[in-house]
Amino acid sequence: MDARLNYFASPNPGKALKYLMSAGRALKESPLPDATQELVALRVSQINGCAACIDMHTKEAAAAGEAPVRLNLVAAWREATVFTEAERVALELAEQGTRVADAVGGVSDEVWARAAEHYDEEQLTALVILVSFMNTVNRLNIITQQPAGDYEVGQFH
C-alpha cells in the first residue's frame, strides 16, 4: 500500500508539518510520564483506527520497556488489572476527548476531577495537548492512507 501523499514533498505543507511534529517532540519532554504518554497515544490511535500510529506507539513503548501484556490490553483497559489508577483515568480522558463527535459531551466533570487527583496542572495540560495532537496526526495519516508495519523505533524523534 502506498500513501496518497508525501506530506514533506511540498515546501509549504512540509514546513507546517515540521512545526506540528515539533510539538509532538516537545510533549515528550513534559512531566507527563512516558508510559502514560505512549498508552494514551496508542489508545487514541486504536479508537481512530490509525494503523501507522498504532504501529509506531506499540513499537516505541515496547522499546522503552513497556510490558507486552499492558500493550495488548490497552484496547480493553477497563477490564484489565495491569494499569495504575492514574493511567486508567488518563485512558478514560483520552477516550472521552477523542469521541467528542459521538455525542458523549466531551470530557465529563467526573473524569476531569479524577484526572486532577493524579496529575498536576502541567501534566494535565500535556495530557490534553497529547490527546488533541494524536487526533490530528491520526486524521492526517488516515486521510492519506499512510501504510503501517515498517516503522522503526526512533524514526520520527
Side-chain angles (χ1 to χ4, degrees), residues 75-104:
W77 64 267
R78 282 179 178 80
E79 294 82 25
T81 59
V82 296
F83 302 106
T84 68
E85 284 304 312
E87 290 167 339
R88 295 171 70 74
V89 74
L91 290 166
E92 188 167 12
L93 187 147
E95 285 190 3
Q96 289 185 5
T98 297
R99 292 188 164 133
V100 294
D102 296 341
V104 297

Side-chain angles (χ1 to χ4, degrees), residues 18-37:
K18 285 181 184 177
Y19 285 117
L20 178 66
M21 298 314 287
S22 70
R25 284 189 296 278
L27 283 169
K28 287 289 189 190
E29 299 169 10
S30 77
L32 188 64
D34 291 341
T36 302
Q37 289 189 43

Side-chain angles (χ1 to χ4, degrees), residues 6 8 10 14 28 46 48 64-65 68 89 102 104 110 131 133 155:
N6 175 350
F8 298 102
S10 302
K28 287 289 189 190
Q46 289 172 337
N48 289 325
V89 74
D102 296 341
V104 297
E110 176 191 341
V131 171
F133 174 80
Q155 183 175 333

Side-chain angles (χ1 to χ4, degrees), residues 125-137:
T125 301
L127 181 57
V128 169
I129 294 170
L130 175 61
V131 171
S132 300
F133 174 80
M134 287 309 305
N135 276 286
T136 298
V137 174

Side-chain angles (χ1 to χ4, degrees), residues 5-84:
L5 289 174
N6 175 350
Y7 286 118
F8 298 102
S10 302
N12 286 336
K15 184 177 180 181
L17 280 175
K18 285 181 184 177
Y19 285 117
L20 178 66
M21 298 314 287
S22 70
R25 284 189 296 278
L27 283 169
K28 287 289 189 190
E29 299 169 10
S30 77
L32 188 64
D34 291 341
T36 302
Q37 289 189 43
E38 291 299 340
L39 295 172
V40 165
L42 180 56
R43 185 64 190 128
V44 169
S45 300
Q46 289 172 337
I47 293 167
N48 289 325
C50 182
C53 289
I54 293 168
D55 182 33
M56 175 183 176
H57 292 287
T58 301
K59 289 175 180 173
E60 288 288 345
E66 188 60 73
V69 68
R70 284 168 43 93
L71 294 176
N72 293 332
L73 288 172
V74 169
W77 64 267
R78 282 179 178 80
E79 294 82 25
T81 59
V82 296
F83 302 106
T84 68

